[in-house]
Amino acid sequence: MKHEWSSRLTFILAAVGSAVGLGNVWKFPYITGEYGGGFFIFAYLFCVALIGLPIMLTEIALGRRGKHSPVNTLAELSLEAGASPRWNLLGWSGMIAGCLILSYYSVIAGEVMAYTFRAASGMFTQQTADGIKGIFNTLTSDAEKLLAWHTLFIVLTVVAVARGVKGGIEKTVTFLMPALFIVLLVLVGYAMNSGGFSQALDFMFTPDMDKFFYARNDAGAYLVDANGEKIFTWKALMVAMGHAFFTLSLGMGAIMMYGSYLNRHVSIGKMAMIIVSLDTLVALLAGLAIFPLVFVNNLDPASGPGLIFETLPLAFASMPGGAFIGTLFFALLFFAALSSAISLIEPTVAFLIESKKMRRIKATAWTGFVIWLTGLATIFSMTGLTLKDIGEALLGAIGLDEIELNSALFQYNPFQVIDFFTASIMLPLGGMLIAIFAGWIMDRESTQREFSFSNRFIYPVWYFMVRYISPVLVLMVFLNIIGIFSFD
Ligand code: TRP
């Protein structure tokens, strides 16, 4: 039986649910903080408009045309275009990326759940900075606790997805998304009256090119070369682009999957605009909810991934009604994470149902189990495991214990590797290839048909973008990372 969304609205809720997630509320504010605010937001909006929006349209269009999970959709569409059916490898790498992302996403979402309870029980109230740090360290150094929350989050995701597109996914997002928006507006309202609002606006919208373009160390000081000159870098642009893919759920087939459940008579132009706008709105609102509290308490906006777990609770500790606002905040983050997790697992589940003739419950349970297991790598990263430990253990196993792994690369942990590899490599690469497939491989007639309910200007603009602009931009940023090509 082929599913279809009950209405356009449920498609929007599901797609916005996918897009709005930890990326908007946890990641966006902290990377914005790290790269100096204003100019980073500008670069991010630029990537969203020139890369994100066209690829969002592409994924919806291709999914709806293929009507299957990404692997089979791409196989079918390449057959139709007379191209190699191997384009479906893109679907495979998408499934792998989705599972890898969910494996760490779930661990962080588990921490969010733990924090919801901690906030509700008043644990942050009146705490000092050390106290808050202590709470964070106690949680993240305890592998068993992390595992318990990670397990709970995976189970919730599996239950929602196993109940099917209408009975599970639609029902869940129909509750979660409105709740999320209401809570977010309450939080922004609170932040507006907190006294730090104008400072937050200033931070978010005043461009600081230096912090964007020059390399800095972990403590935030500029690095200099032998001549005492600051060192130029495109890293921030790369992070902005990676984030545009991540926050819009692009590049791995999640939106393609949701597009496959979409009715033929819907304007995909309108849908893509709504999804992209709402996702961006939520990210900006999240910044406006968080940064005022950070500034009014004289905390550091550039505190990195700990912004939500260490900096913000400190703000909650001393605010009037902090326990309540804190609980709302983490509940919101949990809602956002759950509806995203659903979309990360669905392409694999749908593929197993289609191609392996599995029942949905079994397909979801198996996929969930593999992801849960992979999540252990992130849990042990939190508790201190590095690549060096793994490498030395492997070397030791083959009797080479005397080799020392001292390269800086080995100081990273598996979580950082998975995060970088998926968000900065697999998603942009996947998105670029999807754009190339739609712009250069498929027939014009087949893509054009998907735009027949959209404004007639959208198709030519989209076509030009996916052929010449989006893939080229992604490629330029890529070549730059590997150092083959340099802008300056
Ligand atoms: N977009 C979500 C976020 O911002 C995460 C997410 C859900 C995602 N589905 C995805 C990321 C697919 C990449 C690909 O948190």
Side-chain angles (χ1 to χ4, degrees), residues 17-24 98 101 105 243 245-254 279 336 339-341 343-344 427:
S18 167
V20 171
L22 296 175
N24 303 60
I101 293 174
Y105 206 82
H243 187 68
F245 278 96
F246 188 87
T247 188
L248 293 173
S249 302
L250 295 175
M252 55 70 65
D279 182 72
S339 57
S340 297
S343 76
L344 283 162
L427 298 182

Side-chain angles (χ1 to χ4, degrees), residues 220-358:
Y222 289 104
L223 301 175
V224 288
D225 62 16
N227 303 323
E229 303 269 358
K230 288 192 252 178
I231 299 168
F232 190 82
T233 169
W234 286 103
K235 176 145 189 260
L237 183 62
M238 200 186 121
V239 172
M241 183 183 80
H243 187 68
F245 278 96
F246 188 87
T247 188
L248 293 173
S249 302
L250 295 175
M252 55 70 65
I255 298 294
M256 203 186 277
M257 187 72 242
Y258 280 5
S260 80
Y261 302 139
L262 187 63
N263 182 285
R264 288 235 173 273
H265 305 285
V266 173
S267 154
I268 60 174
K270 210 183 271 168
M271 296 297 109
M273 281 299 281
I274 294 177
I275 299 163
V276 170
S277 314
L278 285 177
D279 182 72
T280 307
L281 182 70
V282 171
L284 296 176
L285 286 177
L288 291 178
I290 292 168
F291 287 123
L293 309 185
V294 171
F295 285 116
V296 85
N297 289 288
N298 292 316
L299 301 169
D300 178 14
S303 53
L307 184 65
I308 294 301
F309 294 116
E310 295 175 86
T311 308
L312 208 56
L314 196 53
F316 297 141
S318 56
M319 290 170 5
F324 179 66
I325 294 292
T327 311
L328 279 187
F329 178 82
F330 286 107
L332 164 124
L333 203 50
F334 164 66
F335 293 166
L338 184 59
S339 57
S340 297
I342 290 174
S343 76
L344 283 162
I345 198 175
E346 176 67 12
T348 307
V349 170
F351 169 75
L352 292 175
I353 297 173
E354 273 167 24
S355 292
K356 306 288 166 206
K357 305 283 170 268
M358 274 193 204

